[in-house]
Every structure is written in C-alpha cells, then in structure tokens.
Amino acid sequence: MPINFSSSATERPVPPWALRLARALPFVVLPHCLWRLPFAFGFTMGMVGLPKEPEPWWSPAYVLGLSVFTEALALLCMGLVSGWGERVPDRVPVIGGRRVPPLAATVPATLGGLGLVALWDTMPLAWFGLFGFHEVGFSNGWWMALARVCISPVMLWGPIVLALAYAYHRRRGAA
C-alpha cells in the first residue's frame, strides 16, 4: 500500500520503493565519503603513482567539507518524496507556504542524476582499461578491493536520483 505524503488528495501517493530509495541514498554515498577522508591528511590508501607534493593547509577542511556537501546533496533528494518538496515550509521567508512547481524539482533532479551517471558510472570502464579510461595503481590487491568496495556504491547515486525524479514527475507532473 503506497504511503500518501502528497499535499493534496488529487495527487498520487509516494510509491514505497521511492521512499525506501530516498531514505537509503545517504547510506549509499557514505562509504565513498569515508574513503575520501584519509586523503586530507596525506594518507594514500595504498595508491601508487600519486604526486609527492605536501597537502595544502586547507586540505582537511576541503575534504571534510566535500564529504559533508555530498551527504547534504543525498539528503536533499528526500524532497522528492517529502511534503517539503511539494510545498515550501511556512517558516521560509517570502515564499513560505507556496506550492513548488513540479518542473522546479524534476529538471534539477534529472540533470543532477544524468551528471552523476556521467561522473561515476564510467568507473567500471577504468577498472578494465576500456575506451581510454584508466584507474590509479594500488600497492596490492587488498587496497584495490577496499577502494572498489567503498567507491562502487556511489555508482548507484545517479540512477537512484533519476528514479526518484521520475517518481516525483509521475506523482506531481499531471497535477
């Protein structure tokens, strides 16, 4: 039975699969965010062939900020299945209480999902050295396996956002 998070009775309810995907998305990108953190402090995580230059003083703040920003973007996708993605909360000045135009959510979500697919879903091509894509080298197979386990889930980010955008459009597009 679909759960109705819609702001009006005429709109379709949120499909349970979309709600589960939106809730899972921050956990899908979390391993990649955690994998990234040691690089801020100069730890190479078994990668070879990296430049030997010292990390700039702002590197820890940048990498931590990038990880927080990544998680924030993943959490923002909850708007595609929540009431605040359909109607601006009343506490927001000037536009509070107004209905969110469906295209104002579906267009950025679709473009973002396509961008994420282009960014991350080419990784298997690098793993197998296809079409000119190459992966950085690792000191041993364990480091390579750990990197792939931590980074692979992020390849689902783009398709999940596209699926959530489609569900949002189906639910709100005709309204």
Side-chain angles (χ1 to χ4, degrees), residues 29-157:
V29 299
L30 184 62
H32 182 256
C33 292
L34 295 176
W35 168 261
R36 185 187 297 142
L37 292 177
F39 290 98
F41 303 101
F43 190 66
T44 62
M45 301 294 284
M47 292 183 173
V48 295
L50 296 176
K52 301 292 183 199
E53 296 137 19
E55 296 294 326
W57 64 269
W58 47 265
S59 184
Y62 169 74
V63 174
L64 179 64
L66 186 60
S67 292
V68 169
F69 181 67
T70 300
E71 284 295 323
L73 287 177
L75 286 168
L76 187 61
C77 291
M78 283 296 294
L80 296 170
V81 296
S82 301
W84 57 268
E86 298 176 6
R87 186 173 162 269
V88 179
D90 292 331
R91 65 183 173 272
V92 176
V94 181
I95 62 170
R98 291 188 186 170
R99 184 176 160 86
V100 174
L103 288 179
T106 54
V107 169
T110 302
L111 292 176
L114 290 172
L116 290 167
V117 167
L119 180 65
W120 296 113
D121 291 0
T122 58
M123 288 181 2
L125 298 175
W127 294 344
F128 298 108
L130 300 174
F131 305 112
F133 290 92
H134 299 287
E135 182 179 32
V136 67
F138 290 92
S139 59
N140 61 48
W142 293 107
W143 280 114
M144 182 171 52
L146 179 62
R148 289 182 180 177
V149 165
C150 289
I151 296 170
S152 292
V154 83
M155 289 188 291
L156 298 173
W157 191 6

Side-chain angles (χ1 to χ4, degrees), residues 1-6 12-16 19 23:
M1 176 79 179
I3 302 168
N4 191 356
F5 282 100
S6 300
R12 294 180 179 178
V14 175
L19 194 57
R23 287 180 177 161

